[in-house]
Amino acid sequence: MGTRMEVAQLENRMNTEDYRKLQGLFVDPSGAPRSLSRAEFINLAWSSVGRGSKEEYGLLFDSVVVTQEHRGLLLDIDAVKEEGRVDWGGLCSFLLLELSDKVKNTRSSSVPCWKPPRTLTCPHRDPVQKVLYLQSSGQYLTVSKGGTVGLRDREDMSLLHTHRLQNSTVTPKDLWVTDMVLLHNVNKIAVSFTSKEVCFYDLLSKVEFSCKYKLQGLKFTPWCLDYWVDPSQPDLAVLTIGDIGGQVSALYFTSAEISLFERLSLRMDSDSADIVLWDDLVKGKHHCCYTVTHRAHAPAWVRKVRYLGSLEAFVSCSTRPQSSMVIGWREKESRGLRVTLFFTKRGVWDMDHHHGLNLIATAGVDHQVLLWNPYVTSEPVCRLVGHTSPITAVQFMQTKQQLLSYSKDKVLCLWDVSLQKCVHRLAGVFPKTQEDTHTILFLHEERQLLLLSFNSLLLLLETTREEKRTSSHEHPVTCVLYNSLFRQVVSSDSASSVICWLADTGQKVKQFHRCHGNAEISAMALDGTQTRLFTAGADGEVKVWDFNGRCLHRMNAGLGRAVEISQVLLLKRSILVMGWERMLTVFRLHSFSQSFVEPSEWKGGVQHRSDVLCAAFQPPQTLVTGSYDGEIIVWNNSTEKALRKLRPHAEHREGKKSHFHTQMRLNSANTEDSDNSDAITALFFISERTTAVAAAGGADLVSCGASGVVRLWNTVHSCLVGHFTAHNKDLGSIVTTVSPCGKYLVTADREGTLKTWDIQHYCLEPCDGVTKETPTLLCRFRPHLDRVTHLEMCLHGDTLLLLSASSDCSVALSYLPGSTIGLFGQEEQWCLERPAPLHPQQEPERNQREQGGQGRERTPPVPSETLPDLGPNTPAEGGEWTEENFYSGEELTV
């Protein structure tokens, strides 16, 4: 039996002449175009082209027909064999669509693989202020706040020599260095001090670091420096100074290689340095240099300055929102500056410029990296969202379209600028320090070397190799489901797309675009027949789709408002929607006679004191709901009456306000898990544990949410049976899922790490008090690089599999207890019938016990009732399903 992989190989083997022969088959003897049946195509193509087998041409024909006739799910292949026909245009469309899909799915980003971090020996206890690379010697130069300079070896970064900078203006104990820059064209360094001066030290003099000039008389303390040299005229250079008074000052040198300053007098200090007064520079007494200034940042401190020679402009930033970034443009034939201001919500700590892209990146106090066009002040080009604390440093990789960013919570992110997404996230490897740690980031791109300072500590990160990373979606994935009828995986993303994948191979079958316009899909569910897909959007609507791309119903959950829907739960005669208010929103099946469906009244009324975020159902009539404040309510689903309440603490925090929209967006990485330590984001009944187990005092319900804690409850006696910390609480909310057999519990965090726990006998028997023991950890692995947004277990044939979706735009398939098969959409397809190799990202750690969400309850089967089909004339609303996106998605190279 042939496979689609063989078809891809057939198409790869065919050359231009072979395709010309194929084109000739679709022309009749009179020269008119014609179509071919399956049998005609197989016989003619096989005899004419001469490559491959008849079986391979048959598989190619079937794939073209699926695309040409817009059949989303091909359940009866015999029908295609009898009535399907293919023309040359249909074959070309299929080949082009397959090629386009291959390009999209194999577009991957270079992701660094770091060696274990290494802490470097420092000769001082005060913070490192700057790291420089000396091109002439190949060595690294560091300077501390107290003025200690360290010289390091190029190869192993060992400390070669230290020296204390001399400055007779202040006593050694009062010496405070704020910044340092390399004047590489004149072999000097410029160092700024809190004594309101900039000193110029010679690197080549016989006396180490002898001071040649002292620039004094500055109005404010200089805080940051920058130095630029004209590559075509090394005599022309610019030294830029940013100070704590909000002023940006620049010194233009016109004969730098001859002399930076003129010697106007014999005035020297005890360091034998020439004294240069700022007022003399302003008055033009030094003919070899002149100054320009602006005070657009006042009264805020200037945090960083850069002179961009390509733009002939000065770029600076501050934490003042109104002047978060300022560009001072040089006026032609003038020494004045034209200033433009860029606004952000909370200001900017750092910024960098990419010469090739001409983009400026800003490190926001509001946790966002913004990319700006220097000529557009109204809004940024894009926002890179993923950090959960203020960003303190950004650095472009000039040879790539990539950007590094570092935040206060010690998370380093690597961004693909063209894709506008995080392709790598590094956390948990940095030293534990105080919150006010002074951190600088130094990237030596040529050597793929990264240095980070943590006060007086220096941490070295080096890369070993680069690995290619596949993206299943073009945007962060929000949800993943398994369709047992079609043996397919369904995933959704933040750009409102839905993709169907073959579970057996990982290849794409079809794709919905813009299902909810531009609104993110936050939750999905399948009905009991597995033929209807429910998608919940941030626009406040739940839509019902068939798998041919038709929108059958629109459910008005938000009553016209844009609301956050966290879960859709399908029951026998009703559909529950929740996430944004204290009461459940219910839709009765008898209401689905129209395309636009309004909600009904929940008979139980408002029982929760905070927003309901999740629910679970246990036949025949037990319903449980969990809320933002940590409360669980047990309901009788038939009467819709509340029976019991479960709380994690004896005293309930009344009136705790919910901000789910801004604080509980667990699918996004731009929020903080503050003030939601009790929030319940997922509930699962342990299906194999009967009512008798619960009646005897054992746990029958699992909940998870913030702070990495998993809790097990007894719903009969309304009590907490056990709890344990599955992940570090600093990682915030976790997601979880429970296997149908009740043996496995899988948890995942925002670093992409998954853990599989054995809970088969955990909290099975009643005990005195609450169990705090941790269940057996079977496996720990990492198939993702960023936050895991959703987990789903499924029985595929006789194999129990795990699906995981992530903000890194990937959907992974894994065996239990924990070996990753691959990522959906990757170029090399897998076959579940053969043992699969471990995925490169996997980090198994078996038989470990560790101490230290979001999940969505699987939809229970609906016994007999299904939603009515409105018929073939129902318009497809809210989604786009055209020939460009309705296709069989196997890999193809032409």
Side-chain angles (χ1 to χ4, degrees):
M1 184 68 182
T3 65
R4 184 66 193 123
M5 200 65 182
E6 293 173 326
V7 176
Q9 293 168 359
L10 168 66
E11 293 157 0
N12 284 329
R13 297 196 302 269
M14 292 174 65
N15 55 33
T16 306
E17 186 59 33
D18 294 332
Y19 282 108
R20 286 199 183 98
K21 292 177 182 178
L22 276 182
Q23 183 180 12
L25 302 180
F26 294 95
V27 180
D28 63 17
S30 64
R34 66 174 178 175
S35 61
L36 300 175
S37 66
R38 192 176 194 274
E40 291 172 337
F41 176 80
I42 292 173
N43 292 327
L44 290 173
W46 182 70
S47 59
S48 174
V49 177
R51 296 181 188 270
S53 64
K54 289 187 176 181
E55 188 177 32
E56 288 178 296
Y57 285 106
L59 288 170
L60 175 59
F61 180 92
D62 294 342
S63 298
V64 175
V65 168
V66 171
T67 302
Q68 187 170 273
E69 296 188 357
H70 286 209
R71 295 195 175 186
L73 293 171
L74 192 54
L75 302 180
D76 187 3
I77 194 69
D78 292 329
V80 173
K81 293 177 182 177
E82 294 174 3
E83 65 187 33
R85 297 183 71 85
V86 167
D87 58 12
W88 175 244
L91 178 61
C92 289
S93 297
F94 170 76
L95 295 175
L96 289 173
L97 288 170
E98 287 294 276
L99 179 60
S100 173
D101 185 47
K102 180 181 177 68
V103 170
K104 288 181 180 179
N105 284 323
T106 60
R107 181 174 63 180
S108 56
S109 301
S110 296
V111 177
C113 184
W114 303 103
K115 294 179 182 179
R118 184 157 59 97
T119 302
L120 304 180
T121 304
C122 289
H124 45 75
R125 296 182 179 179
D126 45 343
V128 176
Q129 297 291 72
K130 195 63 171 287
V131 180
L132 299 175
Y133 176 65
L134 306 180
Q135 186 75 40
S136 57
S137 63
Q139 296 170 330
Y140 297 90
L141 191 69
T142 63
V143 66
S144 71
K145 174 182 171 182
T148 301
V149 174
L151 199 62
R152 295 185 174 273
D153 182 68
R154 169 187 171 89
E155 298 302 327
D156 60 2
M157 298 296 292
S158 60
L159 189 63
L160 300 176
H161 181 68
T162 62
H163 179 79
R164 182 71 183 270
L165 294 177
Q166 298 300 314
N167 187 353
S168 60
T169 308
V170 294
T171 61
K173 67 181 181 64
D174 294 327
L175 189 71
W176 185 336
V177 173
T178 59
D179 202 1
M180 175 178 69
V181 289
L182 176 66
L183 285 60
H184 55 85
N185 61 328
V186 294
N187 294 301
K188 291 180 175 60
I189 57 171
V191 183
S192 55
F193 297 90
T194 53
S195 52
K196 297 182 182 179
E197 59 186 340
V198 178
C199 297
F200 297 80
Y201 296 91
D202 198 335
L203 297 177
L204 299 181
S205 64
K206 293 181 181 180
V207 181
E208 288 184 320
F209 298 99
S210 63
C211 186
K212 295 300 182 183
Y213 304 103
K214 282 190 175 182
L215 176 58
Q216 296 181 338
L218 299 175
K219 186 176 181 180
F220 301 101
T221 298
W223 192 252
C224 50
L225 302 175
D226 179 66
Y227 187 72
W228 174 87
V229 177
D230 190 326
S232 60
Q233 301 181 67
D235 260 341
L236 303 181
V238 181
L239 176 68
T240 313
I241 305 170
D243 60 40
I244 65 173
Q247 179 170 291
V248 174
S249 308
L251 279 73
Y252 277 82
F253 299 105
T254 57
S255 57
E257 290 190 315
I258 300 174
S259 178
L260 293 177
F261 305 99
E262 295 180 14
R263 194 167 187 179
L264 300 180
S265 67
L266 298 178
R267 184 180 176 187
M268 301 175 65
D269 70 353
S270 58
D271 295 327
S272 299
D274 292 341
I275 303 298
V276 179
L277 298 178
W278 179 257
D279 284 343
D280 290 343
L281 295 175
V282 174
K283 294 174 182 177
K285 292 184 179 181
H286 291 258
H287 300 293
C288 57
C289 63
Y290 61 93
T291 65
V292 293
T293 62
H294 75 71
R295 289 199 62 196
H297 290 288
W301 293 20
V302 180
R303 296 292 174 177
K304 189 169 183 179
V305 289
R306 284 283 303 276
Y307 177 74
L308 305 181
S310 58
L311 302 180
E312 294 188 1
F314 300 91
V315 184
S316 52
C317 63
S318 72
T319 53
R320 179 172 175 258
Q322 294 85 347
S323 58
S324 297
M325 184 172 70
V326 174
I327 300 182
W329 304 89
R330 283 295 308 274
E331 296 286 357
K332 289 185 178 181
E333 300 179 357
S334 169
R335 293 186 180 181
L337 293 176
R338 175 176 55 87
V339 173
T340 56
L341 281 70
F342 296 73
F343 172 84
T344 67
K345 290 182 179 179
R346 296 174 62 186
V348 168
W349 277 111
D350 191 19
M351 53 84 185
D352 195 25
H353 178 254
H354 193 288
H355 305 295
L357 300 174
N358 195 25
L359 290 175
I360 300 174
T362 57
V365 182
D366 61 354
H367 314 174
Q368 296 185 43
V369 177
L370 303 183
L371 299 182
W372 300 88
N373 181 330
Y375 302 103
V376 180
T377 62
S378 57
E379 60 181 357
V381 175
C382 70
R383 302 173 186 269
L384 303 180
V385 178
H387 284 284
T388 58
S389 69
I391 303 165
T392 58
V394 288
Q395 180 83 52
F396 273 112
M397 302 180 76
Q398 297 292 338
T399 60
K400 304 176 182 179
Q401 294 186 4
Q402 292 183 335
L403 174 74
L404 286 167
S405 62
Y406 180 82
S407 56
K408 274 192 172 182
D409 59 353
K410 297 183 176 61
V411 174
L412 181 72
C413 289
L414 177 66
W415 305 88
D416 187 307
V417 176
S418 61
L419 300 179
Q420 299 179 20
K421 70 175 184 180
C422 179
V423 295
H424 186 65
R425 187 174 183 273
L426 190 63
V429 301
F430 303 113
K432 293 183 178 180
T433 54
Q434 298 176 352
E435 289 187 6
D436 59 346
T437 300
H438 175 73
T439 301
I440 62 169
L441 186 151
F442 171 79
L443 172 68
H444 190 183
E445 196 169 348
E446 181 183 348
R447 290 191 56 198
Q448 292 292 292
L449 174 149
L450 186 65
L451 275 173
L452 295 100
S453 74
F454 299 89
N455 286 337
S456 62
L457 292 178
L458 271 177
L459 193 76
L460 173 65
L461 287 172
E462 296 178 282
T463 60
T464 56
R465 67 181 185 277
E466 289 189 346
E467 54 188 37
K468 296 295 182 179
R469 183 71 182 178
T470 299
S471 294
S472 308
H473 286 247
E474 294 185 9
H475 297 86
V477 187
T478 56
C479 189
V480 62
L481 300 173
Y482 177 72
N483 189 313
S484 59
L485 176 64
F486 303 124
R487 295 171 62 88
Q488 292 182 351
V489 172
V490 185
S491 57
S492 63
D493 64 32
S494 61
S496 208
S497 294
V498 173
I499 300 179
C500 298
W501 311 88
L502 290 180
D504 288 313
T505 62
Q507 68 188 108
K508 184 187 293 185
V509 177
K510 74 181 75 169
Q511 181 169 359
F512 294 90
H513 285 292
R514 294 174 56 81
C515 296
H516 291 261
N518 293 321
E520 173 181 317
I521 296 176
S522 56
M524 292 196 301
L526 289 165
D527 76 340
T529 67
Q530 305 281 285
T531 60
R532 298 291 183 264
L533 175 68
F534 291 72
T535 61
D539 56 359
E541 285 192 356
V542 177
K543 294 185 179 181
V544 187
W545 306 83
D546 66 13
F547 281 87
N548 286 320
R550 291 189 306 161
C551 179
L552 305 177
H553 304 280
R554 293 168 54 203
M555 301 160 59
N556 187 19
L559 299 177
R561 297 174 295 146
V563 297
E564 282 295 335
I565 299 173
S566 58
Q567 186 180 348
V568 178
L569 181 65
L570 274 65
L571 303 176
K572 184 175 181 180
R573 293 183 176 84
S574 62
I575 300 168
L576 304 181
V577 185
M578 64 211 74
W580 69 98
E581 60 183 5
R582 295 182 297 151
M583 186 169 64
L584 292 170
T585 299
V586 60
F587 294 85
R588 316 287 180 187
L589 287 193
H590 61 72
S591 303
F592 283 82
S593 57
Q594 302 295 324
S595 62
F596 194 75
V597 186
E598 296 288 349
S600 303
E601 181 183 358
W602 176 253
K603 298 175 184 176
V606 177
Q607 296 292 333
H608 281 283
R609 302 180 186 183
S610 191
D611 292 351
V612 181
L613 303 183
C614 56
F617 179 73
Q618 174 89 313
Q621 58 190 19
T622 303
L623 173 71
V624 293
T625 54
S627 63
Y628 181 86
D629 59 5
E631 183 180 60
I632 297 174
I633 295 182
V634 183
W635 306 77
N636 183 314
N637 184 58
S638 299
T639 62
E640 298 182 1
K641 299 298 182 183
L643 304 177
R644 296 177 291 278
K645 293 187 177 183
L646 293 75
R647 298 189 180 100
H649 306 296
E651 294 184 4
H652 178 59
R653 303 179 187 177
E654 295 191 23
K656 187 173 181 178
K657 188 177 180 181
S658 169
H659 298 283
F660 182 73
H661 179 70
T662 58
Q663 294 181 336
M664 289 301 299
R665 288 288 307 277
L666 300 180
N667 288 342
S668 302
N670 62 331
T671 55
E672 294 184 88
D673 294 306
S674 58
D675 195 34
N676 62 345
S677 58
D678 294 330
I680 297 176
T681 55
L683 289 167
F684 293 90
F685 276 105
I686 307 175
S687 56
E688 289 299 309
R689 300 193 182 185
T690 61
T691 307
V693 173
D700 61 341
L701 180 71
V702 175
S703 72
C704 81
S707 301
V709 176
V710 175
R711 294 185 173 95
L712 283 84
W713 306 82
N714 181 293
T715 58
V716 174
H717 299 291
S718 306
C719 64
L720 179 66
V721 181
H723 68 87
F724 66 96
T725 301
H727 296 260
N728 191 313
K729 65 178 182 179
D730 294 336
L731 297 178
S733 295
I734 61 174
V735 295
T736 190
T737 187
V738 179
S739 63
C741 61
K743 175 177 174 61
Y744 298 114
L745 168 75
V746 180
T747 58
D749 59 31
R750 74 180 189 190
E751 291 186 343
T753 300
L754 276 65
K755 295 182 181 181
T756 305
W757 311 84
D758 185 351
I759 61 165
Q760 187 170 11
H761 303 291
Y762 185 70
C763 294
L764 186 61
E765 303 292 337
C767 61
D768 295 333
V770 178
T771 299
K772 296 182 180 180
E773 292 184 8
T774 303
T776 302
L777 178 64
L778 300 176
C779 188
R780 177 186 184 276
F781 59 112
R782 189 170 181 246
H784 300 287
L785 300 174
D786 205 346
R787 179 188 295 268
V788 177
T789 55
H790 192 201
L791 295 172
E792 177 89 354
M793 286 198 203
C794 61
L795 198 61
H796 185 71
D798 297 328
T799 307
L800 186 61
L801 299 175
L802 174 67
L803 296 165
S804 55
S806 171
S807 293
D808 68 1
C809 305
S810 68
V811 180
L813 181 68
S814 304
Y815 290 118
L816 285 169
S819 62
T820 304
I821 299 169
L823 302 178
F824 286 93
Q826 68 184 36
E827 186 172 5
E828 182 181 355
Q829 298 173 11
W830 61 75
C831 179
L832 292 184
E833 297 175 355
R834 300 192 302 269
L838 296 183
H839 187 268
Q841 284 294 324
Q842 176 184 320
E843 300 172 1
E845 297 179 16
R846 299 179 183 276
N847 300 322
Q848 297 185 21
R849 295 173 64 89
E850 296 193 7
Q851 295 285 345
Q854 172 165 325
R856 294 173 179 83
E857 178 72 16
R858 294 182 301 276
T859 303
V862 181
S864 57
E865 300 187 38
T866 60
L867 297 178
D869 193 331
L870 296 183
N873 296 323
T874 304
E877 299 183 49
E880 298 176 2
W881 192 293
T882 63
E883 186 173 0
E884 284 71 23
N885 53 50
F886 182 92
Y887 57 93
S888 173
E890 302 86 350
E891 304 297 339
L892 168 68
T893 300
V894 179

